[in-house]
Amino acid sequence: MTYDFDAMTDRSGTYSLKWEEAGGALPMWVADMDFTTAPPIREAMRRRLDHGVFGYSIVPDEWGDAYIGWWRDRHGVTFERDSLIFCTGVIPAISSMVRKLTTPAENVVIQTPVYNIFFNSILNNGRNVLEAPLAYDAAAGRYAIDWEDLERKLADPQTTLMILCNPHNPSGQIWDRETLARLGELCWEHHVTVISDEIHCDLTDPGFGYVPFSSVSEHCRMNSVTCIAPTKTFNLAGLQTAAVMVPDPVLRHKVWRGLNTDEVAEPNAFAITAAVAAFTEGGPWLDELRAYLAGNKRAVRAAIDAYNASVDAARHVTLVEGDATYLLWLDCSALTDDTERLCDHLLAEQRLMLSPGAQFGGNGRYFVRINAATQRERVDEGMRRLTDGLRSFR
């Protein structure tokens, strides 16, 4: 490999949320990576740093061109430059759109278990969370949409917005074209606007792609806002750089007004530089990263399989199959119905920090989320601590 993802990083002294919150434990929880970002991005930022003046920034055409070229070449979909709006992050954008596209006490549908901050974006703005739980096939370790329940929630006159996670966090599921088309038609029929959070879209396993929601049909295209960014892909979350893509001009104007009113539509001095470098020069690094992450996921599976082979079936755990993200969703329902208590045990006894599934809604209380985006040595150590902790948990 050209890039050394095994090289250990020391994030102490960098105010890292992931490591500081862990308090000396091995952190495999919040969704950022322990890898240094792609060399072309670091070099571009170094040049910007060396310039030494950090005043107000504009959003140049080359920023839009970088997004357009990346999605055309990597995902086979074309955006119009006018459809793209800069924003400081996907969650600030979602919160802004919840405020702008709905009124207080209206329903926002989410498919649980799902990224826990969606709840904050809805509840903190005085709207109702309306969960449409995904159907879980425990034997197959896969999720699917419960169409009857989803349509009932969308048909509620108080429901005006849906937040879709594509690919899905925490399960790693890639929604196929047929599924997205059916979902899009239901939302169109019931006058429900879709926000599609596609921040994990580039982190698919080798050989797997994802389907942009807006590319599926004209109804999906004209009734949606797509949230995209280089931040998860290239480990740039702290730089506050993202975009929303809104094809319909009427909807776009509403979103643009909301983002500007909320003051989340202006870039910092490094946001444009990093995004342009990522989307114009980061491809080779990303391809090697995806292969490395797939190896990490295989290492997690091997450790889980070895654990299951060593214990009674009543203590087995199941790794949910997913072809996207570096996040793994572990079904612990045979062991406990309280994974908050399990995570407390792992932290206290094994110094391992994972995310308890209750945070993600639905039937998440039976699951834990594992972040495998770290060096293989740490993954192996984390799995040793996890399986030892599973054995000792009572």
Side-chain angles (χ1 to χ4, degrees):
M1 297 180 77
T2 304
Y3 306 100
D4 184 7
F5 295 104
D6 282 324
M8 298 297 280
T9 51
D10 180 2
R11 299 181 66 182
S12 60
T14 65
Y15 314 112
S16 163
L17 170 68
K18 180 179 183 180
W19 286 82
E20 293 295 335
E21 286 291 312
L26 178 57
M28 300 180 75
W29 65 292
V30 72
D32 76 3
M33 300 189 286
D34 290 323
F35 311 117
T36 54
T37 194
I41 301 173
R42 293 178 4 234
E43 180 56 33
M45 291 180 65
R46 190 175 295 113
R47 291 194 300 269
R48 183 69 186 87
L49 175 65
D50 288 345
H51 181 265
V53 180
F54 310 112
Y56 298 114
S57 298
I58 65 165
V59 180
D61 286 346
E62 64 183 303
W63 174 84
D65 291 342
Y67 272 88
I68 290 166
W70 183 267
W71 258 262
R72 180 192 62 232
D73 298 341
R74 304 284 296 200
H75 305 302
V77 62
T78 301
F79 300 156
E80 297 174 358
R81 184 184 290 147
D82 288 348
S83 71
L84 287 166
I85 309 169
F86 176 87
C87 59
T88 58
V90 167
I91 290 303
I94 289 175
S95 294
S96 177
M97 289 185 283
V98 167
R99 288 189 290 273
K100 188 66 176 179
L101 302 180
T102 67
T103 60
E106 287 186 341
N107 299 330
V108 181
V109 170
I110 55 175
Q111 296 173 292
T112 52
V114 75
Y115 179 46
N116 54 305
I117 305 302
F118 287 174
F119 289 87
N120 298 357
S121 293
I122 299 165
L123 294 172
N124 289 348
N125 289 299
R127 277 61 171 175
N128 300 325
V129 171
L130 191 57
E131 295 187 41
L134 295 169
Y136 176 58
D137 183 339
R142 302 287 292 189
Y143 282 95
I145 293 175
D146 181 338
W147 292 107
E148 182 178 349
D149 179 71
L150 176 62
E151 182 163 16
R152 184 167 58 251
K153 305 294 174 56
L154 294 173
D156 186 327
Q158 282 293 106
T159 301
T160 53
L161 189 66
M162 176 175 180
I163 304 175
L164 170 69
C165 201
N166 176 41
H168 187 256
N169 168 12
S171 74
Q173 177 126 356
I174 298 174
W175 300 116
D176 60 35
R177 185 171 297 273
E178 181 182 6
T179 297
L180 293 175
R182 185 174 177 184
L183 187 153
E185 288 304 310
L186 285 174
C187 289
W188 179 269
E189 178 184 346
H190 295 293
H191 309 286
V192 175
T193 304
V194 178
I195 298 173
S196 185
D197 176 358
E198 302 187 359
I199 198 170
H200 287 278
C201 69
D202 288 305
L203 293 169
T204 55
D205 294 346
F208 291 87
Y210 98 110
V211 181
F213 180 77
S214 67
S215 72
V216 171
S217 70
E218 186 64 11
H219 285 170
C220 290
R221 181 174 181 271
M222 300 305 287
N223 190 42
S224 67
V225 179
T226 300
C227 298
I228 47 181
T231 49
K232 280 290 184 284
T233 306
F234 295 98
N235 209 25
L236 303 172
L239 291 184
Q240 299 182 318
T241 183
V244 294
M245 196 281 294
V246 199
D248 179 69
V250 175
L251 181 57
R252 186 189 315 143
H253 181 77
K254 291 180 181 179
V255 171
W256 176 80
R257 285 300 307 145
L259 294 173
N260 279 274
T261 299
D262 294 333
E263 304 294 351
V264 292
E266 295 182 359
N268 66 56
F270 294 93
I272 299 298
T273 298
V276 170
F279 289 139
T280 57
E281 302 180 77
W285 180 89
L286 175 60
D287 291 336
E288 290 196 16
L289 171 72
R290 291 167 64 208
Y292 189 87
L293 291 175
N296 279 1
K297 290 161 78 171
R298 288 192 296 271
V300 172
R301 172 161 293 286
I304 296 301
D305 287 346
Y307 162 79
N308 284 337
S310 71
V311 298
D312 186 88
R315 299 187 65 81
H316 280 192
V317 293
T318 301
L319 197 62
V320 173
E321 297 288 349
D323 302 313
T325 85
Y326 48 70
L327 304 168
L328 296 158
W329 193 232
L330 188 66
D331 180 357
C332 302
S333 55
L335 193 62
T336 182
D337 64 356
D338 185 357
T339 50
E340 289 188 304
R341 189 169 70 87
L342 173 60
C343 286
D344 288 344
H345 168 80
L346 293 170
L347 184 60
E349 300 297 326
Q350 297 295 329
R351 306 302 292 149
L352 175 66
M353 189 173 184
L354 305 179
S355 296
Q359 299 174 353
F360 301 87
N363 62 353
R365 68 183 185 278
Y366 302 114
F367 293 79
V368 296
R369 193 183 74 170
I370 304 169
N371 174 358
T374 192
Q375 290 74 23
R376 189 72 46 79
E377 180 181 335
R378 285 174 170 151
V379 170
D380 291 340
E381 174 61 18
M383 292 307 97
R384 184 194 66 76
R385 297 187 192 191
L386 172 63
T387 54
D388 285 352
L390 292 174
R391 290 188 181 94
S392 63
F393 180 71
R394 293 292 182 269

